[in-house]
């Protein structure tokens, strides 16, 4: 197991974050940035969603992240193309599997995987530097229970996972889309919860966390009203941060500024 400090040190490719960055060369549209690495648009137009809850970020990839993508993507990565059904038992050797939607740079994901090697984590994001960073963290920690998926989590849930496949679902600090006209882009909506519930086993827990107060209120409202979920808090409302969710540096900085982080843990009802 790797200590917290070791995870912190490799998030930018080196102890001081001074690893030289790779040059971004011109390439044909849709072509992977790295040979054998994640596709630029894995689902293409055959599973187009008109309203997306995420906005891909363009940022440079460090040399260490690029190296991890080239070497490890063929082993531990997968593109969300919507054209096949995933065999999670084969992928994770029979471990129970939790889906994590949006993992940023992967520090918290790697910590949770190291602390709970008996649980598989299928981590989804579209941020290429974060994908490479998480792969590097997993390799350094000797983790065998992490897989990294590239693309739209809705397509993954809808097209590539069978019913009752997941033992849990985590959505930590999703984009709050603060402007009112963009609220329709927020991930935690009734239709998403219906889809998610269909892929979760009875008793599986959906765990959300956000530091955006209006979004937390919306999450609590739609989760509380959804017939497929029940609040794990007997008195209702928000839950204390569970010990298994690490406090990240980004979150700690927000707390220092007076931000309030809300955790919500709702259980998939027994059918």
């Amino acid at each position: 197991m790797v200590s917290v400090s070791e995870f912190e040190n490799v998030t930018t490719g080196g102890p001081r974050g001074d690893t030289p960055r790779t040059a971004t060369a011109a390439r044909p549209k849709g072509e992977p940035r790295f040979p054998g690495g994640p596709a630029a648009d894995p689902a293409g137009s055959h599973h187009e969603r008109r309203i997306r809850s995420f906005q891909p970020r363009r940022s440079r990839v460090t040399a260490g992240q690029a190296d991890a993508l080239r070497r490890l993507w063929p082993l531990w990565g997968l593109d969300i193309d919507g054209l096949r059904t995933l065999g999670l038992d084969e992928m994770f050797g029979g471990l129970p599997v939790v889906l994590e939607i949006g993992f940023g740079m992967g520090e918290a994901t790697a910590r949770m995987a190291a602390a709970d090697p008996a649980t598989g984590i299928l981590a989804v994001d579209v941020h290429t530097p974060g994908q490479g960073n998480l792969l590097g963290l997993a390799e350094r920690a000797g983790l065998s229970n992490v897989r990294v998926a590239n693309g739209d989590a809705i397509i993954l849930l809808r097209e590539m996972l069978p019913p009752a496949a997941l033992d849990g679902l985590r959505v930590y600090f999703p984009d709050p889309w603060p402007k009112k006209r963009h609220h329709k882009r927020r991930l935690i909506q009734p239709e998403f919860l219906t889809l998610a519930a269909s892929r979760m086993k009875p008793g599986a827990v959906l765990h959300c966390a956000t530091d955006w107060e209006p979004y937390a209120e919306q999450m609590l409202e739609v989760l509380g009203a959804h017939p497929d979920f029940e609040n794990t808090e007997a008195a209702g409302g928000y839950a204390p941060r569970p010990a298994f969710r690490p406090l990240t540096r980004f979150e700690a900085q927000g707390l220092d500024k007076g931000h309030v982080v809300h955790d919500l843990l709702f259980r998939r009802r027994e059918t």
Side-chain angles (χ1 to χ4, degrees):
M1 184 179 297
V2 176
S3 68
V4 170
S5 61
E6 288 175 288
F7 280 134
E8 299 277 5
N9 285 340
V10 297
T11 57
T12 54
R16 296 181 300 277
D18 54 1
T19 302
R21 297 184 180 274
T22 58
T24 303
R27 64 186 186 284
K29 184 178 180 180
E31 182 178 308
R33 297 179 69 181
F34 307 97
D41 185 16
S45 61
H46 52 272
H47 287 299
E48 181 65 25
R49 294 178 61 238
R50 298 302 179 189
I51 299 177
R52 289 186 172 182
S53 63
F54 61 90
Q55 182 67 41
R57 293 172 291 162
R58 294 184 179 275
S59 54
R60 289 185 177 273
V61 177
T62 68
Q65 293 160 0
D67 177 65
L69 286 165
R70 292 190 183 97
R71 293 186 300 102
L72 302 175
W73 188 261
L75 300 174
W76 297 337
L78 64 100
D79 284 312
I80 301 174
D81 56 17
L83 299 177
R84 56 198 169 109
T85 300
L86 299 179
L88 297 184
D89 282 344
E90 180 180 357
M91 186 180 298
F92 288 94
L95 296 177
V97 176
V98 171
L99 175 65
E100 182 178 356
I101 298 177
F103 56 80
M105 296 305 290
E107 303 102 315
T109 305
R111 294 181 198 175
M112 289 186 289
D116 184 13
T119 297
I121 300 179
L122 178 57
V124 181
D125 211 307
V126 294
H127 188 48
T128 309
Q131 293 167 350
N133 202 66
L134 178 53
L135 289 170
L137 289 169
E139 181 182 49
R140 288 176 175 87
L143 303 176
S144 61
N145 58 331
V146 176
R147 299 294 181 271
V148 180
N150 167 53
D152 192 334
I154 298 296
I155 294 176
L156 174 68
L157 285 163
R158 189 179 63 206
E159 310 291 346
M160 299 180 70
L161 292 179
L166 299 173
D167 292 85
L169 177 58
R170 297 167 180 165
V171 185
Y172 297 156
F173 305 99
D175 194 325
W177 294 101
K179 294 181 180 179
K180 187 174 181 179
R181 69 177 183 270
H182 292 155
H183 286 184
K184 61 187 177 181
R185 294 183 177 272
R186 288 176 173 174
L187 181 62
I188 306 301
Q189 308 273 7
E191 58 272 20
F192 169 78
L193 296 178
T194 298
L195 174 60
S198 72
R199 300 302 187 257
M200 296 170 67
K201 296 176 182 177
V205 172
L206 168 59
H207 182 191
C208 301
T210 181
D211 62 347
W212 192 260
E213 186 78 27
Y215 197 7
E217 294 171 354
Q218 176 186 323
M219 289 179 176
L220 187 60
E221 179 181 355
V222 298
L223 277 163
H226 200 283
D228 291 332
F229 291 94
E230 59 183 353
N231 200 332
T232 61
E233 289 295 298
Y238 304 112
R241 179 177 66 88
F244 66 80
R245 183 176 74 75
L247 182 69
T248 66
R249 285 181 297 177
F250 174 81
E251 183 180 355
Q253 291 168 0
L255 292 172
D256 289 341
K257 296 175 182 177
H259 297 183
V260 177
V261 176
H262 291 295
D263 284 78
L264 303 93
L265 286 89
F266 277 73
R267 183 179 295 109
R268 172 72 162 95
R269 292 185 187 272
E270 301 286 340
T271 55

